[in-house]
Amino acid sequence: MRRRYVMLGVLSGSCAGLAAFLLGAAGMASGAAKPHVVVKPTVITVTAGKPVELGFKLSKWSQLPAGTFTFKVTNKGYATHDFKLCTTPVTTSAKNTCVGKVTPMLKRNQSATLTVKLTKKGKYEFLCSVPGHAAAGMKGLLGVGVKVAAPKPASTTANTSGNDNTTTTATTTTPAATTTTPTTGGGGGGGGVSNPDGCPAGTTIVTAGFGGDGDDDDAGGVSDGDGCI
């Protein structure tokens, strides 16, 4: 009988130990498990070609968190544009070309999506890779963890917000009119009026002693405005 109680006690202790072990293992497993956190990408809306043809308008560009960025690009200009994000941090937007990721060429009202991962803090240049567009001002800086100023395109040709037409201001210069009043000699026989050449009315340049100029009034013909008859 006593032996039976001993066996029961051993079995009970073993079961209790096993249960404690299993509970401890479960607790360790639950403590080690971490919830899966999904980090959403930063979505930026990009408008190309408006409000100016050679410029970009971004919905956000400064003090952005590092990580994945999704750029939703739409061309509202009349020329063909693309959107390129340079993947190496820079200090200025002086360059007009770089290594990075770029959308396809977009015609007017076409759209594209560009996804880029930026993990380093700094300034990243964006630009249009069409030859001449970045040099004309179609570029800017994106600030990841740093502050940058809003893009300031250099182009002065603007698209109006109402009808998407390109508006160009023209300056017209009107030349001043010039009026020339011919000088005529005195009438035949003269009335005592003196010609600007200085000869008395009724005489020719020759007879007045001024020398001839080789035309009709030298011989007493009708005055051509440079002498008297």
Side-chain angles (χ1 to χ4, degrees):
M1 193 72 174
R2 183 179 178 183
R3 186 176 180 181
R4 183 179 179 185
Y5 287 136
V6 171
M7 292 297 295
L8 289 174
V10 171
L11 291 173
S12 298
S14 299
C15 290
L18 180 61
F21 174 77
L22 293 174
L23 288 173
M28 291 176 63
S30 62
K34 295 181 179 180
H36 182 66
V37 179
V38 178
V39 180
K40 294 183 178 181
T42 300
V43 179
I44 300 176
T45 301
V46 181
T47 303
K50 189 177 178 180
V52 294
E53 184 65 46
L54 296 180
F56 290 112
K57 183 180 179 181
L58 277 64
S59 60
K60 58 187 76 172
W61 60 87
S62 182
Q63 296 281 19
L64 303 174
T68 302
F69 294 83
T70 299
F71 298 90
K72 295 184 177 181
V73 185
T74 302
N75 181 13
K76 288 295 184 180
Y78 286 87
T80 299
H81 300 297
D82 63 10
F83 178 82
K84 184 174 185 178
L85 183 71
C86 309
T87 51
T88 302
V90 294
T91 55
T92 67
S93 59
K95 295 183 179 180
N96 297 320
T97 183
C98 67
V99 175
K101 297 190 70 174
V102 62
T103 66
M105 288 292 175
L106 302 175
K107 295 181 180 180
R108 177 171 170 80
N109 291 326
Q110 288 185 333
S111 300
T113 299
L114 182 69
T115 300
V116 184
K117 191 172 184 179
L118 302 174
T119 58
K120 294 182 180 179
K121 178 180 178 181
K123 299 176 181 179
Y124 294 84
E125 188 173 13
F126 59 85
L127 52 86
C128 177
S129 67
V130 175
H133 286 196
M138 201 168 188
K139 57 184 177 180
L141 292 175
L142 191 77
V144 176
V146 297
K147 186 177 181 179
V148 296
K152 294 182 178 180
S155 174
T156 56
T157 301
N159 284 347
T160 59
S161 58
N163 54 14
D164 285 347
N165 292 328
T166 301
T167 303
T168 304
T169 303
T171 302
T172 303
T173 303
T174 303
T178 303
T179 303
T180 303
T181 303
T183 304
T184 57
V193 179
S194 180
N195 188 275
D197 292 287
C199 57
T203 64
T204 66
I205 294 177
V206 175
T207 57
F210 289 94
D213 59 357
D215 52 18
D216 292 341
D217 59 8
D218 290 341
V222 178
S223 173
D224 60 2
D226 63 356
C228 303
I229 57 173

